[in-house]
């Protein structure tokens, strides 16, 4: 297990329930049973707050943590573009990471291909919520 993934997952400030969310979704990984629930508060096409709760592996938790921190204060449209980028990332490893997405590099790498669905679960849940 990669210690950097553990460190990322240990940042749980957004692992909470958001009572005043405007959009939420729950998604389950049919391969392993991981469950992810996301709630976001959106106003004027901007994500103001992001919360997640999960019963999942450390890769899924790390992915949710990074995604939550990244999404706050971004527009819904920009987050949808990022979700699209990552949904196909594992299909083409030669893609260059845009500068603003460098924080996702530890998760989205060739050595984590077997954990692809775990890493993408928060993205899928957020996509459904939006």
């Amino acid at each position: 297990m990669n210690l950097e993934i553990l460190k990322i997952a240990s940042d749980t400030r957004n692992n909470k329930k958001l009572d005043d969310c405007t959009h939420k979704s729950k998604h389950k990984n049919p391969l392993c049973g991981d469950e992810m629930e996301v709630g976001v508060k959106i106003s004027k096409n901007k994500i103001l707050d992001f919360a997640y709760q999960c019963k999942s592996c450390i890769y899924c938790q790390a992915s949710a943590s990074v995604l939550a921190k990244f999404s706050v204060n971004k527009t819904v449209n920009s987050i949808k573009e990022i979700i699209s980028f990552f949904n196909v990332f594992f299909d083409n490893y030669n893609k260059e990471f845009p500068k603003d997405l460098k924080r996702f590099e530890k998760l989205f790498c060739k050595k984590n291909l077997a954990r692809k669905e775990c890493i993408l679960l928060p993205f899928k849940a957020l996509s459904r919520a939006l």
Side-chain angles (χ1 to χ4, degrees), residues 93-110:
Y93 298 111
N94 298 327
K95 280 188 179 179
E96 184 89 14
F97 263 79
K99 199 174 203 178
D100 63 329
L101 301 181
K102 291 287 186 186
R103 67 182 78 189
F104 292 96
E105 271 187 317
K106 300 289 182 204
L107 290 164
F108 287 88
C109 59
K110 194 172 186 175

Side-chain angles (χ1 to χ4, degrees), residues 11-111:
D11 182 354
T12 59
R13 77 183 95 175
N14 291 95
N15 188 350
K16 61 187 179 184
K17 186 165 179 81
L18 193 59
D19 292 324
D20 60 345
C21 68
T22 57
H23 299 71
K24 68 179 180 176
S25 174
K26 192 172 189 177
H27 197 66
K28 186 173 183 175
N29 183 343
L31 299 175
C32 66
D34 283 356
E35 294 180 9
M36 176 65 54
E37 184 175 339
V38 299
V40 290
K41 183 176 182 180
I42 298 173
S43 179
K44 297 180 182 175
N45 198 39
K46 192 174 191 181
I47 297 175
L48 303 178
D49 201 358
F50 186 119
Y52 67 90
Q53 293 182 304
C54 56
K55 294 177 187 171
S56 63
C57 69
I58 200 76
Y59 288 91
C60 188
Q61 292 172 35
S63 181
S65 178
V66 175
L67 181 61
K69 288 187 293 187
F70 180 82
S71 297
V72 174
N73 293 320
K74 299 280 192 300
T75 66
V76 171
N77 293 336
S78 68
I79 294 301
K80 285 180 179 179
E81 288 176 16
I82 289 160
I83 290 170
S84 294
F85 174 83
F86 283 121
N87 276 333
V88 296
F89 179 82
F90 283 107
D91 297 336
N92 182 3
Y93 298 111
N94 298 327
K95 280 188 179 179
E96 184 89 14
F97 263 79
K99 199 174 203 178
D100 63 329
L101 301 181
K102 291 287 186 186
R103 67 182 78 189
F104 292 96
E105 271 187 317
K106 300 289 182 204
L107 290 164
F108 287 88
C109 59
K110 194 172 186 175
K111 69 179 182 178

